[in-house]
Amino acid sequence: MATEISGTKRPGGRTERTRLAALNATLELLGERGYAELTVEAVAERSGVHKTTLYRRWESAEGLVAAALLLGAEQDWAVPDTGSLEGDLRAINLELVRYFTTPGERELPMASISAAFLSPRAAEALREFYVDRHARSAAAVHRALERGEVPPGTDPVEVVRVACGPVFYRLLISREGVTPEDAGVAARAAAVAAKAGVFTATDG
């Protein structure tokens, strides 16, 4: 049976309750133990779902993690509308900072990124999650286009990537830490560049 990693919303019922119990338990254990120490048996004990059901549906701990990482794509999330591109990008960055630095929350995103380096299926699931998150974040740029803040042809997803890139760099590569001021500077830089036409498509 192919591993289920689709982020599509599903109807309720016992099957859905079982799925959510298993995948939420997987996320809890991933944050607590990390990918290398996560087992199907531990997920079964935490979730109350029998391990034979877990193996039948997801095949392995790797399959569980891959499916669990896409739960975020099922959640209702939208970029705050602050009335300006810079404000919206700053709101996105501040949420990133909070999520990756708050004790009790930061463990899961850090473990998820670590899992992506150890498991190809986890890496693909994380990539799909961020494709979804980029698409939703792009609403900030679409609003800016409607207001005339940025020129036609601006690539919304690229603006988001450039705004968030410095935050991820400080958090995950240089390990410098990120202040709200740092998050605001990155947002401002991306907004200014977008208004100057840096992210418009060019021929050749």
Side-chain angles (χ1 to χ4, degrees):
M1 183 182 223
T3 300
E4 178 181 281
I5 61 172
S6 171
T8 305
K9 289 187 178 180
R10 295 165 178 79
R14 182 177 179 182
T15 299
E16 176 66 355
R17 289 194 297 273
T18 297
R19 183 182 78 94
L20 291 176
L23 298 186
N24 282 318
T26 299
L27 290 177
E28 290 175 8
L29 290 166
L30 181 63
E32 292 171 12
R33 303 183 181 185
Y35 177 74
E37 300 299 323
L38 190 147
T39 65
V40 173
E41 288 72 19
V43 173
E45 182 178 354
R46 177 68 61 91
S47 67
V49 178
H50 199 279
K51 67 179 181 180
T52 57
T53 299
L54 300 179
Y55 276 115
R56 183 173 63 250
R57 187 164 188 180
W58 290 287
E59 299 178 350
S60 63
E62 183 182 32
L64 278 164
V65 170
L69 290 180
L70 280 171
L71 276 181
E74 300 178 26
Q75 297 172 351
D76 292 329
W77 180 86
V79 179
D81 187 352
T82 68
S84 73
L85 177 60
E86 181 180 331
D88 291 354
L89 295 176
R90 185 175 187 275
I92 294 171
N93 279 353
L94 289 175
E95 182 169 332
L96 279 176
V97 173
R98 179 192 59 77
Y99 189 45
F100 276 88
T101 62
T102 303
E105 289 191 52
R106 64 188 179 196
E107 292 79 9
L108 177 57
M110 296 300 287
S112 300
I113 291 171
S114 296
F117 281 97
L118 298 171
S119 161
R121 289 162 76 178
E124 176 61 20
L126 193 63
R127 187 194 69 79
E128 288 188 36
F129 168 78
Y130 275 107
V131 167
D132 173 79
R133 191 50 54 98
H134 287 158
R136 298 196 206 191
S137 299
V141 187
H142 288 298
R143 291 195 293 257
L145 282 163
E146 292 172 358
R147 290 191 296 261
E149 269 191 275
V150 296
T154 295
D155 184 333
V157 170
E158 195 60 24
V159 174
V160 172
R161 287 195 187 103
V162 171
C164 298
V167 175
F168 280 111
Y169 180 87
R170 285 174 174 267
L171 287 169
L172 304 175
I173 306 301
S174 66
R175 306 302 295 242
E176 299 172 74
V178 187
T179 66
E181 290 73 22
D182 296 327
V185 168
R188 187 177 312 118
V192 169
K195 292 174 184 179
V198 170
F199 303 112
T200 56
T202 58
D203 294 332

